[in-house]
Amino acid sequence: MFNTTEIHCINPDCQRPYPQRWGNKFCHCCGAPLQLIDRYVPMRRLGSGGFAQIYTVWDQKTQTQRVLKVLVEDSPKARELFAQEASVLSNLRHPGVPKVESDGYFQRVWVHGKGQQTLPCLVMEKINGQTLEEVLYKQYPQGCPQDLVLNWLSQAVEILRHLHQRNIIHRDIKPSNLMLRTLSKSPLDQRKGREANQLVLIDFGGAKQFAATSVISQPRSTKLFSSGYSPPEQVMGGHVEPSADFYALGRTMIELLTGKHPVDLEDPLTGELHWRSQCRVHPQLADLLDEMIQEEARSRPEKTAVIQRRLAQIDQSLPNPVGTNRTNSRNITLVLTNTRLSPILRFFSNLRKQIQNSVVNFVQAIGQIILFVFGAIAKVIRACLDTIWTMILTSVGAAGGTFFGYVLANYTEWGKQVGESLSSQLSLLLGNNQSVLGSEILLFAGAGLGTAWGIVTAGGYGQRRRFLAASLMGIFGYGFGWFILQLITPKEDGEGLIALILAAVSLLTLGLGLRSHHIVHAVVTAFGTALPFAFLLYVGLPPSIFNDFFNPTNNWHELLWKIGFFGLVGVVISFWLGVSHYLVVPGLRLLGWRD
């Protein structure tokens, strides 16, 4: 019998859920029932996972500890995914998957004064051990040994084979969802070391059933993904195949080998992982992992049998195959040899080995430093070229878009009609004493469109090159900036110009297909772009210099001024995007901020 004196209330609205006295049937704070279906007693909260709270419970029937997941999110989609997880786990029987009994999924219903509360509950086997994320960052912060990773990869592929044969895709493989089950803590098993741990795949909240045939014709998937691990088709919410699990597993193993998050290993221009130089890895294993993380699903291994066959070949090619007790045999040989050596010979033998190891380590360190320096120089040069190229194309695009907007507003019947309609509406809104030319919004929208196309065409900063989304946000952002410009009076003090830049640039940046940290990019780029103009006004630049900008465009002189202004804004936007992408975001990742 488990010895405890405290119970935890699972009511998410309870003000004092813990501690409750052992033996109580109802919570002393909220009155909710404590025991679940007269069998499970919640003891303590372990944490949160997605939309659920996780507890340790005592199973009074089997006299064992188990894990309880309680769904606290009341949305229909959350309930659907939770029921799906329960259905998947209850039908699986594999040592690498937490066991759920047929009655492990149930609803806890509580009727109280405010109404009825229904909490979906899922009880599953409790896995004792550490996640691979904990093993990596606590024991091997510089990267795990290759033989360990190869062993984990083999076990994970075997688990996926069991899932995929039953038409189940996990969709959320990462180090924190892979646990090492500690089979025993006895001294004998501790001597066995790595063999005493078995890999278990957990958190099936995102698991998905797929049809055995015609996978491509399946409907689009729920947009559920983990940054850095999920494949592109899953991130975009498209249909996923079993190869999506291979992609996530490959990136997980690369993180375990290198000790670095996959996002930190991505090339900012192509999104590819440059990881081989970060660890010592067998070439065939590296080739296999690179195939597993291909962006195109068709380029990845087709099924688990292919990966298992490749792993068997890698195992045979290693000097010491995985699964043999090589360490013990080498230690025995070393002991027998040393017993035959005299103390003096043993001393010089050890000294020679230490010198050899020191020389090898020194040469390797020098080589790594040289590679790091040249790699850093190459990255700086590439970043500069990337930024300069984007600045050129963006300025050209902004200038061309401004001219296109001017022609559309003044030389097309549709543009004139839009201008007249906006002029009349805005005159009523802003007051009859203000002159408003509604067709100017088309000029601003054209500038936003051209700026967006210039940035996306350049293709820098690791974009996904979403022309349509960037174009729409560019048009909307600059159009909204023009509207703000009309609202701020007097215009001649320059505040309208700063507000225009902040609104237009932030919205435009959010529409770009940047891979992560979208809010950071938007804030840095918007305030960075507004900074030089705000500085010019602060140091005493006469606001009247901007009068041509605030006035409606009636001649070529005013048009050229606005073309130059928007072209300059495009250059500054590109510069600050480069600063954000190459300096600010890497600095945040170094501090541990994942987006």
Side-chain angles (χ1 to χ4, degrees), residues 394-589:
T394 305
S395 62
V396 172
T402 306
F403 180 77
F404 171 76
Y406 171 77
V407 172
L408 186 66
N410 294 279
Y411 294 97
T412 64
E413 192 64 31
W414 176 81
K416 293 178 181 178
Q417 291 177 359
V418 170
E420 292 176 358
S421 176
L422 286 175
S423 297
S424 60
Q425 296 295 327
L426 288 175
S427 295
L428 295 175
L429 177 64
L430 301 176
N432 295 326
N433 59 332
Q434 297 191 43
S435 176
V436 178
L437 185 61
S439 60
E440 280 286 287
I441 194 173
L442 298 179
L443 184 146
F444 279 68
L449 174 65
T451 303
W453 270 71
I455 296 174
V456 178
T457 302
Y461 315 132
Q463 297 180 73
R464 295 191 177 92
R465 307 192 74 174
R466 301 187 304 190
F467 280 95
L468 179 59
S471 300
L472 292 176
M473 288 300 286
I475 293 172
F476 175 74
Y478 275 61
F480 182 66
W482 174 85
F483 182 73
I484 291 178
L485 191 64
Q486 308 308 312
L487 295 179
I488 295 179
T489 56
K491 298 181 175 62
E492 289 76 11
D493 60 2
E495 291 182 4
L497 184 68
I498 303 303
L500 161 68
I501 294 174
L502 290 175
V505 175
S506 58
L507 292 174
L508 168 64
T509 306
L510 290 175
L512 299 175
L514 303 174
R515 294 182 178 272
S516 64
H517 295 82
H518 304 87
I519 300 298
V520 175
H521 289 302
V523 171
V524 171
T525 307
F527 280 91
T529 305
L531 184 63
F533 298 96
F535 177 77
L536 291 176
L537 293 171
Y538 175 77
V539 297
L541 185 71
S544 58
I545 196 173
F546 297 111
N547 286 346
D548 285 344
F549 181 81
F550 296 121
N551 294 330
T553 308
N554 296 320
N555 54 57
W556 288 102
H557 175 268
E558 294 167 352
L559 174 62
L560 291 176
W561 162 240
K562 291 182 179 177
I563 288 177
F565 171 79
F566 283 120
L568 178 61
V569 170
V571 170
V572 181
I573 289 175
S574 302
F575 172 78
W576 282 103
L577 276 174
V579 171
S580 178
H581 179 74
Y582 290 111
L583 295 178
V584 177
V585 170
L588 293 176
R589 287 172 177 163

Side-chain angles (χ1 to χ4, degrees), residues 72 74 183 199 313 408 492 578:
V72 295
D74 198 30
L183 299 180
L199 201 66
Q313 295 172 354
L408 186 66
E492 289 76 11

Side-chain angles (χ1 to χ4, degrees), residues 25 42 222 265 277 319 332 375 407 413 478 501:
K25 298 296 184 180
T222 305
L265 298 169
S277 61
I332 293 173
V407 172
E413 192 64 31
Y478 275 61
I501 294 174

Side-chain angles (χ1 to χ4, degrees), residues 57 139 154 193 222 278 294 329 340 352 373 412 436 463:
V57 296
Q139 300 180 31
S154 300
T222 305
Q278 305 293 324
Q294 291 294 311
S329 62
R340 300 189 184 100
R352 178 177 57 82
V373 171
T412 64
V436 178
Q463 297 180 73

Side-chain angles (χ1 to χ4, degrees), residues 10 28 69-70 94 124 146 182 195 210 256 264 270 282 292 370 378 398 401 407 422 428 466 468-469 515 522 536:
I10 67 169
H28 64 71
K69 287 185 71 172
V70 180
H94 189 278
M124 65 185 73
Q146 176 183 260
T182 303
E195 290 81 358
F210 67 93
L256 295 172
D264 298 333
T270 64
H282 191 281
M292 292 172 65
I370 293 174
V407 172
L422 286 175
L428 295 175
R466 301 187 304 190
L468 179 59
R515 294 182 178 272
L536 291 176

